[in-house]
Amino acid sequence: GKCLFFVRINPKGVNEKSLETDITVGEIQGSALETFKALVEDLYLPVLREQQGWGKMPAEHTQEFLAGAGKVASVLAEATTCLQSGVELRMPDEKYVNQYDLRPGAFNQAANDPDVAKQMDDCIGDWCNKVESMLQEPETIPAGEEPGPATELDYWRGRMAKFNSLTEQLKHKEARLVLGVTNMLHSPASRRWKALELKVTDAANEANDNVRYLATLERAFEVLYSGSPQQMLDGLRSLIQSIMTMFKIARYYGTPQRMTTLFTKITNQMMRGCKESILSRGKIWDQDKGQLISSMKVGLPVICYASPALAAFFTGTCDRVGRLNTDNRQQ
């Protein structure tokens, strides 16, 4: 089907005698998500950034609004990329889908047909290859880049989108037919898929759970990207407290390995923020000496305090939680 949108352009309302001048109509072609991303990224966002008059809105609220709009564009771009790079499961010929019902008797009949059985077995074998690659897919970081904490949330959101897409495909009639027929065949590919199904379920649960917990830190992450060194330092304690809580209760993310990765990325961004603050007035040798020293003094507490504090706090938390787990096991 087609997706149409209607927008009222007459502020006084819509009159049936002047519909052509009171409203505008458009058609969303292709992917609705890609079209929406293009509208936000290439039309709305540039217009908003160029706007000079914001009425009585304070400057800090304007900056916050523009940052939020930019974030929406980034999320849409990330979602589009995830869907494009997701797994598309191979499906059987449409004639087989129309020929067989989704019931045990039909599955058994299809399994006894050599042509149908071969195609279904080939389909599930292809699924196994694609899903195994997706399960082993690592986080990709551009060469020479020290990632910040936002990349951690982006990675798990992307992984969640891919597994959700896979789960939705498995609900389609074509996929259910493949599963039903191959279950009757008891082929090596079918047994291989049954083992992978458990891993897919666990990986999907992990991605959803990690996104749920990391999303609670998103506002604190924003301060690391847009705040001053002092604002970063002021928000550090509450950020660490939130991470400590997540470490204690998160089923998948509450491991020393995950915490180490997250703290490394937080430190990267805090160091980058201090550097950008110092260089915001230009190159070091072009700045006024007094202003340069003042900027460095502002960033110095972050550099001297933040990294050791993160390391010490994390080490202490790990030790306490480890002792608590040991005591619980002994009881």
Side-chain angles (χ1 to χ4, degrees):
K2 293 184 177 181
C3 182
L4 305 176
F5 65 87
F6 300 82
V7 180
R8 188 187 73 183
I9 56 177
N10 184 351
K12 296 182 180 180
V14 178
N15 190 302
E16 61 181 7
K17 296 181 180 179
S18 57
L19 286 176
E20 67 278 3
T21 58
D22 292 345
I23 63 174
T24 183
V25 183
E27 178 184 353
I28 298 179
Q29 298 180 341
S31 168
L33 182 61
E34 289 183 19
T35 302
F36 186 44
K37 185 209 77 161
L39 282 173
V40 173
E41 198 173 56
D42 301 331
L43 178 61
Y44 298 145
L45 195 57
V47 170
L48 289 172
R49 285 173 173 167
E50 290 297 322
Q51 182 169 321
Q52 300 297 322
W54 289 91
K56 297 182 180 179
M57 181 183 291
E60 60 270 19
H61 291 178
T62 302
Q63 292 301 319
E64 184 178 349
F65 170 74
L66 292 176
K71 184 179 175 183
V72 170
S74 299
V75 170
L76 288 172
E78 180 70 22
T80 303
T81 302
C82 289
L83 290 178
Q84 290 174 344
S85 60
V87 171
E88 185 173 350
L89 297 179
R90 175 184 171 184
M91 296 299 175
D93 292 343
E94 189 175 351
K95 63 179 181 180
Y96 297 137
V97 178
N98 297 329
Q99 182 179 351
Y100 297 102
D101 297 327
L102 299 178
R103 52 188 179 82
F107 295 153
N108 189 52
Q109 182 184 355
N112 290 326
D113 186 322
D115 293 335
V116 179
K118 183 180 184 308
Q119 184 167 136
M120 300 299 174
D121 201 51
D122 289 345
C123 284
I124 204 166
D126 187 64
W127 294 4
C128 292
N129 294 333
K130 290 180 176 178
V131 169
E132 283 175 347
S133 298
M134 189 168 74
L135 288 170
Q136 297 171 4
E137 189 177 61
E139 181 181 8
T140 55
I141 301 296
E145 182 176 322
E146 294 181 342
T151 62
E152 188 73 1
L153 182 55
D154 291 342
Y155 169 73
W156 288 109
R157 273 181 173 154
R159 195 163 172 85
M160 180 181 70
K162 290 179 181 179
F163 280 106
N164 287 347
S165 174
L166 175 64
T167 303
E168 288 301 314
Q169 291 181 68
L170 291 173
K171 295 178 182 178
H172 295 170
K173 180 181 178 180
E174 298 90 333
R176 291 163 64 192
L177 178 62
V178 172
L179 293 172
V181 175
T182 53
N183 189 48
M184 293 291 182
L185 292 172
H186 300 291
S187 65
S190 176
R191 292 192 293 270
R192 183 180 165 202
W193 174 256
K194 285 182 179 180
L196 281 174
E197 271 190 312
L198 298 176
K199 295 181 180 179
V200 168
T201 300
D202 192 57
N205 290 338
E206 178 186 26
N208 281 278
D209 198 60
N210 290 350
V211 168
R212 181 162 65 93
Y213 284 108
L214 287 170
T216 63
L217 306 176
E218 196 167 12
R219 184 169 291 277
F221 290 164
E222 291 175 1
V223 176
L224 301 181
Y225 283 87
S226 59
S228 65
Q230 186 59 50
Q231 288 173 325
M232 288 190 285
L233 197 59
D234 292 341
L236 185 60
R237 177 167 292 277
S238 62
L239 173 60
I240 294 178
Q241 292 286 356
S242 299
I243 294 175
M244 183 183 73
T245 301
M246 181 174 68
F247 178 70
K248 289 179 179 179
I249 65 177
R251 177 184 176 187
Y252 295 97
Y253 209 85
T255 65
Q257 292 79 12
R258 297 285 187 215
M259 292 292 108
T260 299
T261 299
L262 181 60
F263 279 134
T264 299
K265 292 183 175 183
I266 290 173
T267 304
N268 288 344
Q269 186 55 40
M270 295 185 80
M271 299 302 105
R272 187 182 297 112
C274 292
K275 175 183 174 183
E276 291 173 354
S277 175
I278 292 171
L279 298 178
S280 61
R281 295 184 176 86
K283 296 179 180 179
I284 291 179
W285 47 83
D286 294 335
Q287 294 186 39
D288 176 76
K289 185 177 179 180
Q291 288 184 337
L292 177 60
I293 293 174
S294 177
S295 298
M296 288 183 171
K297 285 183 178 179
V298 172
L300 190 61
V302 177
I303 298 173
C304 293
Y305 169 75
S307 295
L310 288 170
F313 202 93
F314 174 57
T315 302
T317 300
C318 285
D319 290 343
R320 287 196 298 273
V321 173
R323 288 195 298 270
L324 179 62
N325 293 338
T326 301
D327 294 341
N328 290 336
R329 284 194 296 268
Q330 290 175 349
Q331 292 174 0

